[in-house]
Amino acid sequence: MQWDPAQYLAFGDERARPFVELVRRIPADSPRSVVDLGCGPGTLTALLKQRWPAADVVGVDASPEMVAAADESTGVRFELGDIRSWQGESDVVVSNAALQWVPGHLALLPALAARARQWFAFQVPGNFEAPTHTIRRELAEDARYEPYLYDVDRPAAHDPEVYLDVLQRQGWTVDAWETTYLHVLHGEDAVFTWVSATGARPTMQALPDALRAEFVTEFKARLDEAYPPGPLGVVMPFRRVFVVAGRR
């Protein structure tokens, strides 16, 4: 799958809010090293350098397109790498809206956390029963599309209680919580623009051109019905799950 950094940043402010909330809750004073796993185009990784200017900050992402778009003038280094096979270590390990793309990431969590010498923090979407996902899944099961989509990657995550339990059992002190943002989006097909840059992107890329156009038309129509425009824009509730774990 190919990611589009420009499309991903179409709602940059809204995507930044959970990252900022997560980083604010990491009580690290002066870490020597900080790693951002699944850093995307690195726009938010630069905020880690601002928070800890003396730290060696590294962004890691599996997408060549994302790494190529990253700006190292911010003082952050960027590397191509997969979360599942990452073997580094760091005082602080952060992952923002990336673990949901790692199949079976709950089983990977203890080994991943062990790479953090002080703090391990991540944020994942918790909206997989929202219309943005249920509509896409229903369409993907349609006989027209299912032959192309039965094995396409689908993001998934767990409730905060599940992550808290797994990491507490590994001896971590865990702060876990959730927040539902009410994003007010603007522009034509705003919700479709949002999801087509993230959760729906693998689905659409897997379809042949002619079927993709048909799928997109139906998807847009159903999203417009589920998220009707109001006088000030389209309100899209978005639940997020946060975890900050520290060494005891």
Side-chain angles (χ1 to χ4, degrees):
M1 183 178 66
Q2 290 186 331
W3 292 97
D4 184 340
Q7 188 176 24
Y8 180 80
L9 293 172
F11 295 102
D13 289 345
E14 291 85 354
R15 296 194 195 281
R17 286 182 64 189
F19 183 87
V20 171
E21 183 175 348
L22 178 70
V23 172
R24 282 177 178 169
R25 297 280 283 268
I26 304 173
D29 294 327
S30 53
R32 294 170 299 172
S33 57
V34 179
V35 168
D36 182 7
L37 296 178
C39 65
T43 310
L44 299 178
T45 316
L47 299 180
L48 298 175
K49 189 66 175 177
Q50 294 177 21
R51 169 76 187 274
W52 297 294
D56 177 34
V57 179
V58 179
V60 179
D61 201 277
S63 166
E65 294 82 13
M66 290 293 196
V67 172
D71 182 5
E72 292 195 341
S73 70
T74 60
V76 178
R77 294 186 294 111
F78 294 95
E79 300 175 356
L80 192 63
D82 193 311
I83 292 176
R84 294 168 293 185
S85 56
W86 183 68
Q87 296 295 312
E89 285 189 352
S90 184
D91 291 338
V92 178
V93 175
V94 177
S95 184
N96 180 64
L99 288 177
Q100 73 272 12
W101 290 107
V102 179
H105 69 262
L106 196 64
L108 177 66
L109 215 57
L112 199 58
R115 300 284 176 185
R117 290 187 286 265
Q118 297 175 5
W119 296 97
F120 175 53
F122 64 90
Q123 175 269 130
V124 290
N127 67 329
F128 295 108
E129 296 307 314
T132 47
H133 288 275
T134 59
I135 292 171
R136 174 182 52 79
R137 291 198 296 264
E138 290 166 4
L139 280 174
E141 292 170 359
D142 186 286
R144 293 167 293 169
Y145 310 123
E146 194 273 339
Y148 302 96
L149 302 178
Y150 70 93
D151 62 347
V152 167
D153 288 343
R154 295 184 177 94
H158 303 275
D159 289 336
E161 298 89 342
V162 176
Y163 294 120
L164 182 144
D165 180 66
V166 168
L167 290 171
Q168 278 189 336
R169 290 175 184 272
Q170 299 298 315
W172 292 84
T173 298
V174 182
D175 179 15
W177 73 98
E178 63 180 75
T179 298
T180 298
Y181 299 94
L182 298 180
H183 293 312
V184 182
L185 309 181
H186 303 280
E188 187 177 2
D189 298 318
V191 176
F192 172 78
T193 301
W194 178 291
V195 301
S196 62
T198 53
R201 189 169 181 82
T203 297
M204 293 190 295
Q205 285 196 347
L207 291 168
D209 291 344
L211 276 181
R212 184 183 304 117
E214 192 173 338
F215 182 96
V216 166
T217 298
E218 293 188 52
F219 195 22
K220 285 181 177 179
R222 294 197 191 186
L223 287 174
D224 288 344
E225 184 178 354
Y227 298 95
L232 299 178
V234 176
V235 178
M236 185 186 74
F238 201 127
R239 177 176 177 255
R240 299 273 185 170
V241 173
F242 301 81
V243 176
V244 175
R247 295 280 187 186
R248 287 181 181 172

